[in-house]
Amino acid sequence: MTQAETTPRTGKRVLLASPRGYCAGVDRAVQTVEEALKLYGAPIYVRKEIVHNKHVVRTLEAKGAVFVEENAEVPEGATVIFSAHGVAPEVYEQAKARSLKAIDATCPLVTKVHQEAKRFAAEDYDILLIGHEGHEEVVGTAGEAPAHIQLVDGPDGVDKVTVRDPNKVVWLSQTTLSVDETLETVARLKSRLPLLQSPPSDDICYATSNRQHVVKEIAPDCDVVIVVGSRNSSNSVRLVEVALDAGARAGHLVDFAHEIDDAWLTGAGTVGVTSGASVPDELVQDVLAHLAGRGFTDVEEITTADERLTFSLPQELKRDMKAAAARA
Ligand code: SF4
């Protein structure tokens, strides 16, 4: 029996998921931009959204970050930060060619998948990368070994897979997928390729798994689950899907509290609230205040994991911070 099921259903209540919001990789990436702005001064260029969240991007823009799509938009010699989602090796080459000072805010758990891709490619494996076509992380990982990697975009992508040697195939994945859907994709791949190897450790990261797990716990008790997150945030979108699959009567993704439609709450007794890994908690607090204003004042936090992981800032930035401190 879950904690949620032990709570009597009286009146209007909120089940607040924990863990939710910022993960270690996002926290590090946002801090990287903030510290770079303090150290080098504005403008600091950031290739792609540092993390997929509208509020975070707007807040950093207001402090002097300039978001660009490609290195070609960055003035020669300027500082550019690569986003948490990771980049292909050619992006480093482009930065070098333009004499950019590059700071890599790729999440170390994405870097781990890049290392796996490089290693299996060096051993001449065919690599089946499970992920969403066009997602920045997938583009970056595939760029490590384009000749060896083919994308499998969910269970329906399995039939298109062709390999050179069925004895030498491994699957890897994007870090922010649905755990259950990925298991289904792998099962289908294995029915076609019985000798398919698995990654040495989980590619779907702890933060993605933990946020999905707690949503599964609360969803069966919820009339509606509100996920705070942006539409281009893979892990946030997955949370809505997971909530619906786990029995929530309805699920909605919002960037901000004011996007909540009162019609979603009509007749609802229990509202679940969570947020994606790129969402600062102040946006969740805004949602709770919004719900409280509509009678949902009874908030119960449901915790299924304790997260303590932190990542240190990128080496290149730490080195400059240390040098600046020594000069001061
Ligand atoms: S969601 Fe996972 S992989 Fe992505 S930044 Fe956070 S910890 Fe890293």
Side-chain angles (χ1 to χ4, degrees), residues 23-26 84 107-110 137 175-176 205-208 235 277 311:
C23 60
V26 164
C107 174
L109 299 181
V110 174
E137 182 187 323
T175 56
T176 50
C205 76
Y206 80 99
T208 299
N235 79 89
F311 294 127

Side-chain angles (χ1 to χ4, degrees), residues 6-261:
T6 62
T7 308
R9 301 187 72 177
T10 53
K12 294 177 171 181
R13 67 172 181 166
V14 173
L15 296 181
L16 178 61
S18 174
R20 62 178 180 277
Y22 266 25
C23 60
V26 164
D27 195 30
R28 171 184 188 258
V30 173
Q31 269 190 57
T32 298
V33 180
E34 288 172 345
E35 291 299 332
L37 281 164
K38 278 190 230 159
L39 188 63
Y40 310 117
I44 292 290
Y45 293 84
V46 183
R47 184 183 176 277
K48 309 281 186 192
E49 292 189 349
I50 185 74
V51 297
H52 287 154
N53 184 265
K54 256 188 209 171
H55 175 78
V56 171
V57 168
R58 283 181 196 164
T59 305
L60 292 172
E61 271 175 343
K63 292 180 181 176
V66 177
F67 290 88
V68 297
E69 280 303 301
E70 295 301 339
N71 285 336
E73 298 163 57
V74 182
E76 293 225 2
T79 299
V80 64
I81 297 176
F82 298 147
S83 78
H85 309 99
V87 295
E90 64 178 354
V91 176
Y92 294 100
E93 295 306 320
Q94 292 162 358
K96 212 164 147 192
R98 292 181 65 73
S99 306
L100 304 182
K101 178 183 181 62
I103 298 174
D104 187 3
T106 302
C107 174
L109 299 181
V110 174
T111 303
K112 179 190 80 103
V113 183
H114 282 228
Q115 303 297 359
E116 290 169 354
K118 280 197 275 192
R119 195 188 106 205
F120 284 109
E123 293 173 22
D124 203 27
Y125 274 75
D126 276 336
I127 300 167
L128 307 179
L129 177 62
I130 303 173
H132 296 301
E133 186 156 19
H135 189 278
E136 281 150 39
E137 182 187 323
V138 161
V139 172
T141 306
E144 291 288 358
H148 287 81
I149 294 180
Q150 55 188 301
L151 184 68
V152 183
D153 195 344
D156 294 340
V158 170
D159 292 342
K160 293 181 213 138
V161 167
T162 54
V163 298
R164 291 168 302 160
D165 177 358
N167 299 311
K168 219 170 170 188
V169 191
V170 64
W171 69 271
L172 303 177
S173 86
Q174 188 179 330
T175 56
T176 50
L177 299 181
S178 152
V179 173
D180 292 339
E181 189 183 276
T182 304
L183 290 176
E184 189 189 332
T185 307
V186 172
R188 282 209 208 173
L189 283 170
K190 282 196 169 157
S191 71
R192 285 198 55 205
L193 300 161
L195 296 177
L196 177 70
Q197 290 187 36
S198 299
S201 61
D202 285 348
D203 287 343
I204 295 180
C205 76
Y206 80 99
T208 299
S209 308
N210 287 347
R211 280 150 192 69
Q212 289 177 17
H213 180 68
V214 63
V215 161
K216 274 191 199 172
E217 291 290 312
I218 65 171
D221 287 338
C222 294
D223 296 304
V224 55
V225 171
I226 294 172
V227 178
V228 187
S230 293
R231 301 213 163 269
N232 61 345
S233 161
S234 172
N235 79 89
S236 303
V237 173
R238 301 289 84 76
L239 287 174
V240 177
E241 294 169 358
V242 168
L244 292 171
D245 285 349
R249 260 72 82 200
H252 300 282
L253 185 67
V254 296
D255 262 298
F256 302 102
H258 67 78
E259 294 171 12
I260 296 171
D261 186 336

